Amino acid sequence: SHKNTHTQGKMQSTNMNNTIFLKCLAGGFGCGCSGFITNPCDVIKIRNQQFGGIKYGSFVGTARIIMIEEGLRGFFKGAAASVLRELTYSSLRMGLYEPIKEGVSSTARALTKGGDGDSAVVKWISAFLSGAVGAAMFNPVDLVKVRLQSQLPGQPPPYASIPNAFLTIYRDENGLRGLYNGTSPTVVRGAFITCAQLGSYDVIKNNILVKSLGFDKEKVSTHFAASLVASLVTTTAANPADVVKTRVMNDSSQSVSGGKVMRHFTAILSKEGVTGFMKGWTASYLRIGPHTVISFVLIEEVRKIMGLSTY
């Protein structure tokens, strides 16, 4: 029987790993599709945050200028990098959320002597952590995406291809240090955005809609409603870190990364005031809104097909 329990333990851990892998797969698929669909809004948002001013100041104005100067192709700048980022960073943050939540939940129960392991705080902390892990690991992909999307018409493309981008940055910008330029704002943004997006989605869906208002946990309409509310929370929470991240990533000067973050942060605060951190909110919402809704509705459906439980 000792042998049996050993095999059972082994099977359980493979099952557990398979489930985590499938959850990551579902997350990557849902976010990959929505990342491609919402790429035009992302390009507009990055132009708003990076250049602003008269030309790239407003959402509609920027869209019109990109259409005139660059055509439809302009809106799909960096789309391949965008999808690659969703398949790497998002699959991790979406797939690791529940295993992390189990750990946080049991810790919370132990600390509060059998308290609520399913509280909103547990969900927000877990999502915060899974977002930070995913963002820290895949910063290079994000860096390449931002640089490709920031390229203006008439400028030569910064890199010949995505692999070429990784190699060039590695070669010219101090190796891995260059590839991890902007990691601190990226991790902060990844943590906050996942906390606001996935954590809030779970809280709104399960703690409010299902438990308090009696919605059906498996229905698409429930997923749609929860993701819609979560998307508003997400945009507002992520915007300040997003503005700083865009400025830092486009600053290839060799100054210390931490100093860079503080420098851009204080510059925005002193020159543009608090509202400076809400630059590109509309553009950001027009991307995060549809992105959040499409991602969650797709992920939940894919999880059902795979025979996994929904969030």
mmCIF file of all heavy atoms in Angstrom, residues 241-260:
data_model
loop_
_atom_site.group_PDB
_atom_site.id
_atom_site.type_symbol
_atom_site.label_atom_id
_atom_site.label_comp_id
_atom_site.label_asym_id
_atom_site.label_seq_id
_atom_site.Cartn_x
_atom_site.Cartn_y
_atom_site.Cartn_z
ATOM 1 N N ALA A 241 0.741 53.841 -13.177
ATOM 2 C CA ALA A 241 1.935 53.033 -13.433
ATOM 3 C C ALA A 241 2.181 52.906 -14.933
ATOM 4 O O ALA A 241 3.319 52.800 -15.384
ATOM 5 C CB ALA A 241 1.784 51.644 -12.807
ATOM 6 N N ASP A 242 1.090 52.928 -15.696
ATOM 7 C CA ASP A 242 1.190 52.775 -17.132
ATOM 8 C C ASP A 242 1.884 53.965 -17.788
ATOM 9 O O ASP A 242 2.721 53.807 -18.671
ATOM 10 C CB ASP A 242 -0.230 52.638 -17.699
ATOM 11 C CG ASP A 242 -0.247 51.767 -18.934
ATOM 12 O OD1 ASP A 242 0.769 51.093 -19.185
ATOM 13 O OD2 ASP A 242 -1.270 51.763 -19.634
ATOM 14 N N VAL A 243 1.510 55.173 -17.352
ATOM 15 C CA VAL A 243 2.118 56.382 -17.915
ATOM 16 C C VAL A 243 3.619 56.370 -17.614
ATOM 17 O O VAL A 243 4.448 56.593 -18.500
ATOM 18 C CB VAL A 243 1.460 57.655 -17.324
ATOM 19 C CG1 VAL A 243 2.164 58.905 -17.839
ATOM 20 C CG2 VAL A 243 -0.015 57.708 -17.690
ATOM 21 N N VAL A 244 3.968 56.068 -16.362
ATOM 22 C CA VAL A 244 5.387 56.030 -15.971
ATOM 23 C C VAL A 244 6.120 54.957 -16.774
ATOM 24 O O VAL A 244 7.213 55.195 -17.299
ATOM 25 C CB VAL A 244 5.535 55.772 -14.451
ATOM 26 C CG1 VAL A 244 7.001 55.626 -14.071
ATOM 27 C CG2 VAL A 244 4.891 56.903 -13.661
ATOM 28 N N LYS A 245 5.506 53.780 -16.897
ATOM 29 C CA LYS A 245 6.140 52.666 -17.613
ATOM 30 C C LYS A 245 6.424 53.024 -19.071
ATOM 31 O O LYS A 245 7.512 52.746 -19.588
ATOM 32 C CB LYS A 245 5.219 51.427 -17.553
ATOM 33 C CG LYS A 245 5.723 50.238 -18.351
ATOM 34 C CD LYS A 245 4.861 49.002 -18.111
ATOM 35 C CE LYS A 245 3.708 48.897 -19.066
ATOM 36 N NZ LYS A 245 4.085 48.328 -20.372
ATOM 37 N N THR A 246 5.458 53.661 -19.736
ATOM 38 C CA THR A 246 5.658 54.028 -21.138
ATOM 39 C C THR A 246 6.826 55.001 -21.285
ATOM 40 O O THR A 246 7.670 54.841 -22.162
ATOM 41 C CB THR A 246 4.361 54.649 -21.718
ATOM 42 O OG1 THR A 246 3.308 53.683 -21.623
ATOM 43 C CG2 THR A 246 4.530 55.025 -23.183
ATOM 44 N N ARG A 247 6.908 55.987 -20.383
ATOM 45 C CA ARG A 247 8.004 56.969 -20.469
ATOM 46 C C ARG A 247 9.356 56.311 -20.184
ATOM 47 O O ARG A 247 10.345 56.599 -20.853
ATOM 48 C CB ARG A 247 7.779 58.103 -19.463
ATOM 49 C CG ARG A 247 6.435 58.782 -19.578
ATOM 50 C CD ARG A 247 6.464 60.058 -20.387
ATOM 51 N NE ARG A 247 5.112 60.588 -20.541
ATOM 52 C CZ ARG A 247 4.671 61.688 -19.932
ATOM 53 N NH1 ARG A 247 5.455 62.363 -19.122
ATOM 54 N NH2 ARG A 247 3.450 62.115 -20.149
ATOM 55 N N VAL A 248 9.404 55.432 -19.162
ATOM 56 C CA VAL A 248 10.672 54.792 -18.794
ATOM 57 C C VAL A 248 11.165 53.867 -19.908
ATOM 58 O O VAL A 248 12.343 53.885 -20.268
ATOM 59 C CB VAL A 248 10.530 54.006 -17.463
ATOM 60 C CG1 VAL A 248 11.760 53.137 -17.210
ATOM 61 C CG2 VAL A 248 10.326 54.961 -16.300
ATOM 62 N N MET A 249 10.247 53.086 -20.480
ATOM 63 C CA MET A 249 10.666 52.122 -21.498
ATOM 64 C C MET A 249 11.173 52.798 -22.761
ATOM 65 O O MET A 249 11.994 52.253 -23.483
ATOM 66 C CB MET A 249 9.528 51.176 -21.840
ATOM 67 C CG MET A 249 9.331 50.114 -20.796
ATOM 68 S SD MET A 249 8.128 48.896 -21.332
ATOM 69 C CE MET A 249 8.450 47.588 -20.165
ATOM 70 N N ASN A 250 10.659 53.973 -23.046
ATOM 71 C CA ASN A 250 11.105 54.676 -24.244
ATOM 72 C C ASN A 250 12.340 55.529 -23.978
ATOM 73 O O ASN A 250 12.863 56.189 -24.861
ATOM 74 C CB ASN A 250 9.974 55.538 -24.803
ATOM 75 C CG ASN A 250 8.999 54.697 -25.605
ATOM 76 O OD1 ASN A 250 9.389 53.965 -26.513
ATOM 77 N ND2 ASN A 250 7.725 54.769 -25.261
ATOM 78 N N ASP A 251 12.820 55.501 -22.732
ATOM 79 C CA ASP A 251 14.010 56.249 -22.355
ATOM 80 C C ASP A 251 15.178 55.272 -22.339
ATOM 81 O O ASP A 251 15.374 54.556 -21.367
ATOM 82 C CB ASP A 251 13.760 56.851 -20.954
ATOM 83 C CG ASP A 251 14.984 57.555 -20.392
ATOM 84 O OD1 ASP A 251 16.044 57.517 -21.042
ATOM 85 O OD2 ASP A 251 14.867 58.122 -19.294
ATOM 86 N N SER A 252 15.954 55.231 -23.438
ATOM 87 C CA SER A 252 17.021 54.215 -23.496
ATOM 88 C C SER A 252 18.347 54.760 -22.967
ATOM 89 O O SER A 252 19.389 54.157 -23.140
ATOM 90 C CB SER A 252 17.178 53.667 -24.912
ATOM 91 O OG SER A 252 17.322 54.734 -25.815
ATOM 92 N N SER A 253 18.307 55.946 -22.313
ATOM 93 C CA SER A 253 19.529 56.478 -21.687
ATOM 94 C C SER A 253 19.989 55.483 -20.619
ATOM 95 O O SER A 253 19.178 54.766 -20.050
ATOM 96 C CB SER A 253 19.246 57.831 -21.048
ATOM 97 O OG SER A 253 18.431 57.661 -19.909
ATOM 98 N N GLN A 254 21.279 55.482 -20.361
ATOM 99 C CA GLN A 254 21.840 54.422 -19.500
ATOM 100 C C GLN A 254 21.727 54.700 -17.996
ATOM 101 O O GLN A 254 22.492 54.162 -17.220
ATOM 102 C CB GLN A 254 23.308 54.191 -19.857
ATOM 103 C CG GLN A 254 23.517 53.510 -21.207
ATOM 104 C CD GLN A 254 23.027 52.069 -21.217
ATOM 105 O OE1 GLN A 254 23.012 51.401 -20.196
ATOM 106 N NE2 GLN A 254 22.609 51.577 -22.370
ATOM 107 N N SER A 255 20.796 55.570 -17.585
ATOM 108 C CA SER A 255 20.740 55.857 -16.145
ATOM 109 C C SER A 255 20.099 54.692 -15.401
ATOM 110 O O SER A 255 19.433 53.849 -15.989
ATOM 111 C CB SER A 255 19.953 57.144 -15.886
ATOM 112 O OG SER A 255 18.675 57.035 -16.439
ATOM 113 N N VAL A 256 20.313 54.660 -14.096
ATOM 114 C CA VAL A 256 19.839 53.558 -13.265
ATOM 115 C C VAL A 256 18.324 53.419 -13.371
ATOM 116 O O VAL A 256 17.600 54.415 -13.301
ATOM 117 C CB VAL A 256 20.197 53.792 -11.779
ATOM 118 C CG1 VAL A 256 20.030 52.511 -10.985
ATOM 119 C CG2 VAL A 256 21.621 54.305 -11.667
ATOM 120 N N SER A 257 17.857 52.199 -13.500
ATOM 121 C CA SER A 257 16.434 51.972 -13.719
ATOM 122 C C SER A 257 15.564 52.538 -12.593
ATOM 123 O O SER A 257 14.573 53.189 -12.830
ATOM 124 C CB SER A 257 16.212 50.473 -13.932
ATOM 125 O OG SER A 257 15.030 50.049 -13.357
ATOM 126 N N GLY A 258 15.984 52.321 -11.332
ATOM 127 C CA GLY A 258 15.208 52.848 -10.207
ATOM 128 C C GLY A 258 15.146 54.370 -10.228
ATOM 129 O O GLY A 258 14.101 54.969 -10.016
ATOM 130 N N GLY A 259 16.301 54.985 -10.530
ATOM 131 C CA GLY A 259 16.375 56.438 -10.612
ATOM 132 C C GLY A 259 15.491 56.958 -11.732
ATOM 133 O O GLY A 259 14.857 58.007 -11.604
ATOM 134 N N LYS A 260 15.452 56.201 -12.825
ATOM 135 C CA LYS A 260 14.617 56.551 -13.976
ATOM 136 C C LYS A 260 13.150 56.647 -13.576
ATOM 137 O O LYS A 260 12.464 57.596 -13.926
ATOM 138 C CB LYS A 260 14.736 55.448 -15.017
ATOM 139 C CG LYS A 260 15.442 55.847 -16.274
ATOM 140 C CD LYS A 260 15.251 54.743 -17.292
ATOM 141 C CE LYS A 260 16.505 54.622 -18.134
ATOM 142 N NZ LYS A 260 16.418 53.584 -19.124
#
